[in-house]
Amino acid sequence: MNSAGSSKAKIGLIGLGLMGRPMGLNLLKAGYALTVWNRTAARAEALVAAGARLAASPRAVAEAADVLFTIVSDPPALEEVLWGKDGALSGLRRGSIHVDSSTVSPALARRAAAACAERGARFLDAPVTGGTWGAEKGELVFMVGGEAGALAEVEPILGVLGKRWFHLGAHGAGQTIKLAMNLILALQVGALAEALALVTGAGIEGEKLVEVLQSSMARAPVLDVKAPLLLKGEYAPSFPLRLMHKDLGLALDLGNQLGVALPATAAAREVYNYVKGAAKEDLDYAAVMKFWKK
Ligand code: NA7
């Protein structure tokens, strides 16, 4: 087993947003040596106080890491931290493994994998589900594309961050499944918002719909978490609406590339787009309800 797969591999982490920060804290708690970088350096403070080393650039993180994690917002952000000035790819160690847990396009995952291979490193696309709650509890679920051998080497680390991981195929497969899954979550929460608008428009309390719904075949665990937010109109971001909007766009792009029609996704994106445009602050995607409160 090489250094990437050793029990206490040196870990790098780029992206200390809502997801990256709790993930980093769990790695430190598990005793891993952690080097971090974030575009806005102030967001690294909690991790540095907990024992992480703050690097000067993505490149410096990669130089220090046997296993490099990235979890940044979107495709341009990943391109920036990998290929930008002092980007991580220029510092990747031979034999290291780069695990990208951002949600980006499958095509970008394949480009990153090829760039890693040119530098003698391996790549896994490993987007996650579970939101900030899952990240804090170490209960994320990883959807993985890439070589099974590389996955086997990082499994001890995934076990600190999450409870399950699925090897889904070649590079890009993890991102493809993630986009399909988020499409379903966006539609489920959007459908609840639409149904609540109908029910409350008829003068019936929304709570009554949720109670019956969650006792029926139409029950969805995501609604256990999101329905109370829709009913109360409280939308502090756990999974931000701007990121769900981005994922719906990525799913539509993929559908276009594959010639697969996604009419329900296209309609849902219009609704999320309206709320995103009208929002004055960062909101959870449960705020899709605001479409009907305008
Ligand atoms: P957040 O909380 O919005 O955090 C996004 C992170 O990405 C944060 O560290 C940002 O740095 C970083 N970012 C954004 N754009 C750039 C650029 N251009 N260059 C470098 N770094 C950048 O998102 P989450 O943590 O909730 O989610 C992360 C991913 O997981 C996302 O793909 C989700 O869909 C799933 P900042 O602090 O703003 O300087």
Side-chain angles (χ1 to χ4, degrees), residues 1 26-27 41 84 89 93 121 132 140 153 157 169 191 195 237 242 248 251 254 275:
M1 195 180 266
N26 283 334
L27 292 169
L89 284 171
R93 292 190 193 176
T132 47
L140 293 170
E153 287 185 39
I157 306 170
R242 65 186 154 81
L248 292 173
L254 185 60
V275 179

mmCIF file of all heavy atoms in Angstrom, residues 1 26-27 41 84 89 93 121 132 140 153 157 169 191 195 237 242 248 251 254 275:
data_model
loop_
_atom_site.group_PDB
_atom_site.id
_atom_site.type_symbol
_atom_site.label_atom_id
_atom_site.label_comp_id
_atom_site.label_asym_id
_atom_site.label_seq_id
_atom_site.Cartn_x
_atom_site.Cartn_y
_atom_site.Cartn_z
ATOM 1 N N MET A 1 0.851 -1.191 0.000
ATOM 2 C CA MET A 1 0.000 0.000 0.000
ATOM 3 C C MET A 1 0.892 1.250 0.000
ATOM 4 O O MET A 1 1.845 1.337 0.757
ATOM 5 C CB MET A 1 -0.875 -0.042 1.264
ATOM 6 C CG MET A 1 -2.021 0.923 1.215
ATOM 7 S SD MET A 1 -3.021 0.831 2.722
ATOM 8 C CE MET A 1 -4.293 -0.332 2.245
ATOM 9 N N ASN A 26 -13.931 16.901 11.110
ATOM 10 C CA ASN A 26 -14.005 15.455 11.379
ATOM 11 C C ASN A 26 -12.685 14.755 11.072
ATOM 12 O O ASN A 26 -12.293 13.821 11.785
ATOM 13 C CB ASN A 26 -15.153 14.821 10.583
ATOM 14 C CG ASN A 26 -16.495 15.114 11.231
ATOM 15 O OD1 ASN A 26 -16.561 15.343 12.444
ATOM 16 N ND2 ASN A 26 -17.559 15.112 10.442
ATOM 17 N N LEU A 27 -11.986 15.202 10.032
ATOM 18 C CA LEU A 27 -10.676 14.603 9.711
ATOM 19 C C LEU A 27 -9.677 14.894 10.831
ATOM 20 O O LEU A 27 -8.893 14.015 11.224
ATOM 21 C CB LEU A 27 -10.165 15.136 8.373
ATOM 22 C CG LEU A 27 -10.976 14.685 7.147
ATOM 23 C CD1 LEU A 27 -10.567 15.471 5.905
ATOM 24 C CD2 LEU A 27 -10.794 13.180 6.911
ATOM 25 N N ALA A 41 -9.583 33.436 3.078
ATOM 26 C CA ALA A 41 -8.759 32.783 4.106
ATOM 27 C C ALA A 41 -9.432 32.787 5.477
ATOM 28 O O ALA A 41 -9.263 31.842 6.262
ATOM 29 C CB ALA A 41 -7.394 33.463 4.180
ATOM 30 N N GLY A 84 -5.991 27.081 -12.224
ATOM 31 C CA GLY A 84 -5.702 28.512 -12.088
ATOM 32 C C GLY A 84 -4.284 28.752 -11.594
ATOM 33 O O GLY A 84 -3.456 27.834 -11.504
ATOM 34 N N LEU A 89 -3.262 21.171 -9.474
ATOM 35 C CA LEU A 89 -2.676 20.159 -10.369
ATOM 36 C C LEU A 89 -1.169 20.317 -10.479
ATOM 37 O O LEU A 89 -0.437 19.328 -10.603
ATOM 38 C CB LEU A 89 -3.316 20.258 -11.756
ATOM 39 C CG LEU A 89 -4.729 19.665 -11.858
ATOM 40 C CD1 LEU A 89 -5.348 20.013 -13.204
ATOM 41 C CD2 LEU A 89 -4.711 18.157 -11.643
ATOM 42 N N ARG A 93 1.263 15.277 -5.991
ATOM 43 C CA ARG A 93 2.363 14.297 -5.871
ATOM 44 C C ARG A 93 2.063 13.063 -6.728
ATOM 45 O O ARG A 93 0.910 12.633 -6.803
ATOM 46 C CB ARG A 93 2.424 13.789 -4.425
ATOM 47 C CG ARG A 93 2.856 14.794 -3.427
ATOM 48 C CD ARG A 93 3.074 14.014 -2.142
ATOM 49 N NE ARG A 93 3.215 14.889 -1.011
ATOM 50 C CZ ARG A 93 3.338 14.431 0.231
ATOM 51 N NH1 ARG A 93 3.311 13.130 0.477
ATOM 52 N NH2 ARG A 93 3.483 15.263 1.222
ATOM 53 N N ALA A 121 -1.002 10.815 -10.826
ATOM 54 C CA ALA A 121 -1.923 10.723 -9.679
ATOM 55 C C ALA A 121 -3.233 10.103 -10.152
ATOM 56 O O ALA A 121 -3.497 10.018 -11.353
ATOM 57 C CB ALA A 121 -2.171 12.120 -9.097
ATOM 58 N N THR A 132 -25.280 19.780 5.247
ATOM 59 C CA THR A 132 -24.373 20.173 6.331
ATOM 60 C C THR A 132 -24.567 19.270 7.545
ATOM 61 O O THR A 132 -23.623 18.977 8.269
ATOM 62 C CB THR A 132 -24.627 21.634 6.764
ATOM 63 O OG1 THR A 132 -26.028 21.820 6.935
ATOM 64 C CG2 THR A 132 -24.132 22.596 5.722
ATOM 65 N N LEU A 140 -22.083 11.436 5.657
ATOM 66 C CA LEU A 140 -22.303 11.696 4.231
ATOM 67 C C LEU A 140 -22.387 10.383 3.469
ATOM 68 O O LEU A 140 -21.909 9.338 3.937
ATOM 69 C CB LEU A 140 -21.147 12.537 3.677
ATOM 70 C CG LEU A 140 -21.063 13.962 4.231
ATOM 71 C CD1 LEU A 140 -19.753 14.624 3.819
ATOM 72 C CD2 LEU A 140 -22.265 14.787 3.779
ATOM 73 N N GLU A 153 -8.254 2.491 -1.471
ATOM 74 C CA GLU A 153 -7.213 3.165 -0.673
ATOM 75 C C GLU A 153 -7.757 4.310 0.173
ATOM 76 O O GLU A 153 -7.234 4.593 1.241
ATOM 77 C CB GLU A 153 -6.094 3.665 -1.592
ATOM 78 C CG GLU A 153 -5.244 2.516 -2.105
ATOM 79 C CD GLU A 153 -4.048 2.983 -2.909
ATOM 80 O OE1 GLU A 153 -3.423 3.999 -2.539
ATOM 81 O OE2 GLU A 153 -3.749 2.333 -3.924
ATOM 82 N N ILE A 157 -10.632 6.942 4.931
ATOM 83 C CA ILE A 157 -10.925 8.381 5.085
ATOM 84 C C ILE A 157 -12.404 8.642 4.837
ATOM 85 O O ILE A 157 -13.049 9.394 5.582
ATOM 86 C CB ILE A 157 -10.047 9.213 4.128
ATOM 87 C CG1 ILE A 157 -8.571 8.870 4.339
ATOM 88 C CG2 ILE A 157 -10.297 10.705 4.327
ATOM 89 C CD1 ILE A 157 -7.641 9.457 3.300
ATOM 90 N N GLY A 169 -18.982 3.285 -11.245
ATOM 91 C CA GLY A 169 -18.444 3.081 -12.584
ATOM 92 C C GLY A 169 -17.224 3.944 -12.822
ATOM 93 O O GLY A 169 -16.531 4.335 -11.881
ATOM 94 N N ALA A 191 -42.511 19.923 -5.636
ATOM 95 C CA ALA A 191 -43.882 19.386 -5.705
ATOM 96 C C ALA A 191 -44.617 19.644 -4.397
ATOM 97 O O ALA A 191 -45.810 19.978 -4.400
ATOM 98 C CB ALA A 191 -43.840 17.886 -6.008
ATOM 99 N N ALA A 195 -48.051 21.736 -4.031
ATOM 100 C CA ALA A 195 -49.235 21.148 -3.403
ATOM 101 C C ALA A 195 -49.676 21.962 -2.187
ATOM 102 O O ALA A 195 -50.880 22.126 -1.943
ATOM 103 C CB ALA A 195 -48.935 19.693 -3.003
ATOM 104 N N PRO A 237 -29.772 28.326 5.020
ATOM 105 C CA PRO A 237 -29.250 27.338 4.077
ATOM 106 C C PRO A 237 -28.568 26.139 4.725
ATOM 107 O O PRO A 237 -27.661 26.305 5.524
ATOM 108 C CB PRO A 237 -28.252 28.132 3.236
ATOM 109 C CG PRO A 237 -27.919 29.337 4.017
ATOM 110 C CD PRO A 237 -29.070 29.616 4.929
ATOM 111 N N ARG A 242 -29.039 28.263 -4.415
ATOM 112 C CA ARG A 242 -28.183 28.608 -5.566
ATOM 113 C C ARG A 242 -27.445 27.358 -6.068
ATOM 114 O O ARG A 242 -27.194 27.225 -7.274
ATOM 115 C CB ARG A 242 -27.197 29.735 -5.200
ATOM 116 C CG ARG A 242 -26.196 29.352 -4.153
ATOM 117 C CD ARG A 242 -25.297 30.504 -3.664
ATOM 118 N NE ARG A 242 -24.838 30.222 -2.330
ATOM 119 C CZ ARG A 242 -23.819 29.415 -2.018
ATOM 120 N NH1 ARG A 242 -23.120 28.848 -2.972
ATOM 121 N NH2 ARG A 242 -23.493 29.184 -0.763
ATOM 122 N N LEU A 248 -29.440 21.633 -11.180
ATOM 123 C CA LEU A 248 -30.494 21.426 -12.196
ATOM 124 C C LEU A 248 -29.978 21.843 -13.570
ATOM 125 O O LEU A 248 -30.257 21.185 -14.575
ATOM 126 C CB LEU A 248 -31.752 22.212 -11.822
ATOM 127 C CG LEU A 248 -32.484 21.694 -10.567
ATOM 128 C CD1 LEU A 248 -33.621 22.630 -10.185
ATOM 129 C CD2 LEU A 248 -33.010 20.278 -10.780
ATOM 130 N N ALA A 251 -27.727 19.092 -14.786
ATOM 131 C CA ALA A 251 -28.526 17.935 -15.241
ATOM 132 C C ALA A 251 -29.105 18.213 -16.625
ATOM 133 O O ALA A 251 -29.086 17.338 -17.512
ATOM 134 C CB ALA A 251 -29.642 17.643 -14.238
ATOM 135 N N LEU A 254 -26.430 17.900 -19.227
ATOM 136 C CA LEU A 254 -26.120 16.486 -19.484
ATOM 137 C C LEU A 254 -27.219 15.858 -20.344
ATOM 138 O O LEU A 254 -26.923 15.103 -21.284
ATOM 139 C CB LEU A 254 -25.959 15.744 -18.146
ATOM 140 C CG LEU A 254 -25.514 14.290 -18.239
ATOM 141 C CD1 LEU A 254 -24.156 14.161 -18.924
ATOM 142 C CD2 LEU A 254 -25.446 13.658 -16.837
ATOM 143 N N VAL A 275 -36.945 32.142 -7.868
ATOM 144 C CA VAL A 275 -36.681 32.404 -6.439
ATOM 145 C C VAL A 275 -35.244 32.878 -6.250
ATOM 146 O O VAL A 275 -34.977 33.805 -5.479
ATOM 147 C CB VAL A 275 -36.967 31.136 -5.583
ATOM 148 C CG1 VAL A 275 -36.664 31.411 -4.114
ATOM 149 C CG2 VAL A 275 -38.416 30.703 -5.764
#
